[in-house]
Amino acid sequence: MEKVKQEKFKKLLEDELKLLENELNSVGRKNPDNPKDWEAEPDEEMTTTPDPIDYADEIEEFEGNTAILKELEVRYNEVKKALEKMRDGSYGICNVCGKKIPEARLEANPAATTCLEHVKS
Ligand SMILES: [Zn+2]
């Protein structure tokens, strides 16, 4: 891949990574024991509010955050992986068959790690 093009994708990935990190921080926190793992952060009021109805709401919110967090985390790790591949020079190459990933596919998803034929379903 041309350097200029790779730089463009790199910028896109870095921007997305920052964005994802912000979102992850707003719904959760990094697991101190495993920096690759994020966990939903319970609202502080959750432990202090005496009202059982409020408490149920908080639990619901916490569960919602956990679901959002999971999706964000998957995407976050994909983007990170793509940036790692850029560093070791294997960016834009299909994980399965080793062929070049079409640029149109990378335009649509700069974090793609497989060609269209080998997209995980
Ligand atoms: Zn492939």
Side-chain angles (χ1 to χ4, degrees), residues 93-100 118:
I93 295 179
C94 174
N95 265 349
V96 181
C97 64
K99 284 186 196 153
K100 276 188 189 167
H118 295 113

Side-chain angles (χ1 to χ4, degrees), residues 65-109:
N65 279 354
T66 305
I68 296 165
L69 195 82
K70 259 205 141 66
E71 272 175 42
L72 287 172
E73 195 181 314
V74 168
R75 182 67 190 163
Y76 180 80
N77 286 328
E78 275 172 10
V79 171
K80 250 194 140 153
K81 185 103 203 152
L83 284 165
E84 270 168 34
K85 281 163 85 78
M86 245 171 216
R87 273 192 294 272
D88 70 23
S90 63
Y91 179 73
I93 295 179
C94 174
N95 265 349
V96 181
C97 64
K99 284 186 196 153
K100 276 188 189 167
I101 301 171
E103 258 164 46
R105 171 152 165 72
L106 291 171
E107 298 271 1
N109 175 14

